[in-house]
Amino acid sequence: MTEQLIAWRSRAAELGVESVDLDEMLLDRELLADVPIELMVRHGFVPLKREDDGTLLVAMADPADVASVDAMEGLLDASVRVAAAAPDAVERAHRRAGAGERILESVQTAFEPTVVTDDLEDAGLTLASLATDSGHPIVRLVDTTLMNALERRASDIHIETRDDAVWVKYRVDGVLYPAMEPVELRHHDAIISRVKVMSDLDIAEKRVPQDGRFKLNLGGRKVDFRVSIMPSIHGEDAVIRILDKEYLAEEFTDLRLDGLGFSDAHMAQLRKYMREPYGMFLVTGPTGSGKTTTLYAGLSEIRSEEAKIITIEDPVEYQLPGITQIPVNEKKGLTFARGLRSILRHDPDTIMVGEIRDPETANIAVQSALTGHLVFTTVHANNVVDVIGRLLNMEVEEYQFVSALNCVLAQRLVRVICPRCKRPVEPDLTLLADSGLTLDDLQGATLYEGAGCDDCRGTGYHGRTVIAEVLDLSDAVREMILDRRPTSEIKRQAAAEGMQFLRDSALDKVRSGETTLQEINKVTFVD
């Protein structure tokens, strides 16, 4: 039991009120809808239930705040009975209650008709007001959208322009969800202009793509946002990438392979190759499959004061203490290849190359692995065998590449069933058939799904885990690559040596109750 937990329970006992653990409770959605979220946040309470006599039971961080209790009774027109809850649990409950969404809805309905025309100047919405007027409805809409995205754990915000409306979506756990009701198309120019002003982009240029970035102080922490503006047939679209570095710094402080979801067998393999004295550790997968996180986990495990680790990335998204990190800057001539040459003159033990994109970088990385350096890098390919063809097509010498390569890891991310609303379900025979399975394939396993709750925002999923396949470069596999044997033969040899393919790794996650068949069918091919 934490000190904070002991403290607020002791406080509750002193005041003669019950204590509740909000993190373990399912909130009453109907009751929450009846209570203004601004009132909950202002007075620091969460409504729990309405009792038979009409009394409202609420959880408060400070049950002794008589003034707030009196104010609540007057505003809610009901008697209030107070229970004690930990302050941080009250804040988390507000987020679970959808504080951001409900504030966003109130902002969205506050638009004044006079501020939304196609001409910003005629509407009285000037460049200066977009930059400085925090009370303007458009400014409030964009700012609240950013704050709500952080509450929802979103990685990206998409502003999509269609023929009749503007859609704002969040990408959470790799999937897009609407952030709010569609906004009328006439608001489009003002919304995009606000994003451009924040990113220091050209507000008058609407015909070519633009990229920018900005930083905000939200909730006491600094958050970086990367912005990409792109013209479409209905107007400009925007994608805002959220880089919450302070939150990630906490997550990455003790980042290890254990926390990413790898099986014990895969972790043993990966740790073996990550601790080799030299050679290339190659990770592949599509954009957003967690490749960089895996490499950072590996670097976190092997870093020490005795070894020098240098990375070159585009961009440096997470900062790791004790490691020299270099951002690519192609406008200034700092490419992966040029940066990698410079890194080699700094006497590194381990090098991480964010991505191999061209033959020059590929050849330098291979040479580095052959000359006593341990090289971590990524390549975009569908599976571990396709990587080989991809690099050989980059004019890398076959023998050198095969000699340098220690292993290839291919990975994907799948969503995890929400633990709060997780429940067993009977296998769907149609889904089994579509998944290439029979009841015998799942014998002894229990399938689960998420019913949908306030924690997962009704999706049934919360967080993601990794599925993987690892190709061990055995002597037999090396000889087959040098002989330019077909990929099908290399796969058969790898399977004979015990390699588990992505689909099998995904099915293990289903059998263990971590994810669903629907989810793995989205990221792996059905055999």
Side-chain angles (χ1 to χ4, degrees), residues 64-258:
D65 187 353
V66 178
S68 288
V69 174
D70 289 343
M72 285 155 40
E73 289 185 331
L75 293 167
L76 298 173
D77 193 24
S79 297
V80 170
R81 185 165 69 87
V82 179
D88 56 348
V90 172
E91 291 181 12
R92 286 192 292 271
H94 287 161
R95 289 197 293 271
R96 285 162 51 198
E101 289 94 327
R102 292 169 66 181
I103 293 172
L104 198 53
E105 289 170 7
S106 66
V107 171
Q108 193 179 356
T109 58
F111 286 172
E112 302 168 9
T114 55
V115 302
V116 282
T117 69
D118 289 335
D119 191 324
L120 297 179
E121 298 295 336
D122 290 346
L125 187 58
T126 63
L127 187 64
S129 67
L130 279 169
T132 61
D133 187 0
S134 60
H136 197 287
I138 291 293
V139 175
R140 288 177 60 211
L141 177 72
V142 174
D143 291 354
T144 308
T145 300
L146 296 174
M147 294 181 67
N148 187 34
L150 285 171
E151 288 184 2
R152 293 274 300 270
R153 302 180 298 108
S155 60
D156 304 86
I157 303 169
H158 290 239
I159 302 174
E160 300 176 357
T161 311
R162 302 187 185 177
D163 58 350
D164 59 345
V166 178
W167 286 73
V168 181
K169 299 178 180 179
Y170 295 147
R171 186 176 293 280
V172 182
D173 293 334
V175 179
L176 286 173
Y177 298 102
M180 63 182 87
E181 292 297 315
V183 180
E184 291 184 33
L185 190 60
R186 53 184 182 160
H187 297 269
H188 166 263
D189 281 351
I191 293 172
I192 295 296
S193 295
R194 167 62 177 166
V195 174
K196 285 183 176 180
V197 167
M198 296 174 75
S199 311
D200 198 23
L201 299 177
D202 186 351
I203 196 172
E205 180 57 74
K206 301 182 180 180
R207 297 165 297 176
V208 298
Q210 297 187 67
D211 294 316
R213 61 177 60 225
F214 61 92
K215 181 181 291 186
L216 295 179
N217 193 334
L218 297 175
R221 67 179 190 258
K222 293 179 181 177
V223 183
D224 287 348
F225 298 86
R226 284 210 318 265
V227 177
S228 177
I229 307 287
M230 182 178 64
S232 70
I233 58 172
H234 300 300
E236 292 178 293
D237 285 8
V239 174
I240 304 172
R241 184 74 184 273
I242 301 171
L243 299 172
D244 190 352
K245 291 186 177 180
E246 291 191 19
Y247 169 76
L248 290 168
E250 296 173 5
E251 293 286 300
F252 278 59
T253 300
D254 297 315
L255 181 66
R256 298 178 62 82
L257 292 172
D258 314 61

Side-chain angles (χ1 to χ4, degrees), residues 269-395:
Q269 280 182 290
L270 298 180
R271 282 178 171 146
K272 170 189 172 187
Y273 293 116
M274 286 176 171
R275 288 182 167 85
E276 294 285 1
Y278 57 85
M280 182 179 287
F281 182 95
L282 195 58
V283 184
T284 186
T287 301
S289 60
K291 300 187 297 295
T292 302
T293 303
T294 297
L295 290 182
Y296 276 2
L299 292 177
S300 294
E301 290 199 5
I302 67 171
R303 66 184 170 185
S304 72
E305 294 298 326
E306 298 176 352
K308 183 162 188 174
I309 301 175
I310 305 179
T311 77
I312 181 163
E313 307 164 61
D314 184 21
V316 176
E317 295 191 0
Y318 320 124
Q319 296 178 18
L320 291 175
I323 292 176
T324 303
Q325 296 174 269
I326 303 168
V328 165
N329 189 339
E330 295 191 357
K331 290 181 181 179
K332 300 293 185 181
L334 178 54
T335 61
F336 276 112
R338 185 173 179 181
L340 188 50
R341 284 197 201 93
S342 180
I343 286 171
L344 291 173
R345 292 192 287 271
H346 278 251
D347 188 30
D349 297 286
T350 302
I351 303 167
M352 175 181 142
V353 183
E355 182 184 348
I356 292 180
R357 299 174 179 170
D358 55 79
E360 187 178 11
T361 306
N363 277 288
I364 299 171
V366 168
Q367 289 296 330
S368 303
L370 289 172
T371 53
H373 303 90
L374 181 59
V375 179
F376 287 50
T377 189
T378 72
V379 173
H380 284 290
N382 290 325
N383 55 58
V384 291
V385 180
D386 289 349
V387 170
I388 297 167
R390 178 82 192 277
L391 278 169
L392 292 179
N393 286 334
M394 287 187 185
E395 303 168 12

Side-chain angles (χ1 to χ4, degrees), residues 1-11 86-88:
M1 186 180 295
T2 64
E3 292 182 6
Q4 187 183 51
L5 195 61
I6 295 170
W8 67 259
R9 284 189 174 174
S10 299
R11 176 69 169 157
D88 56 348

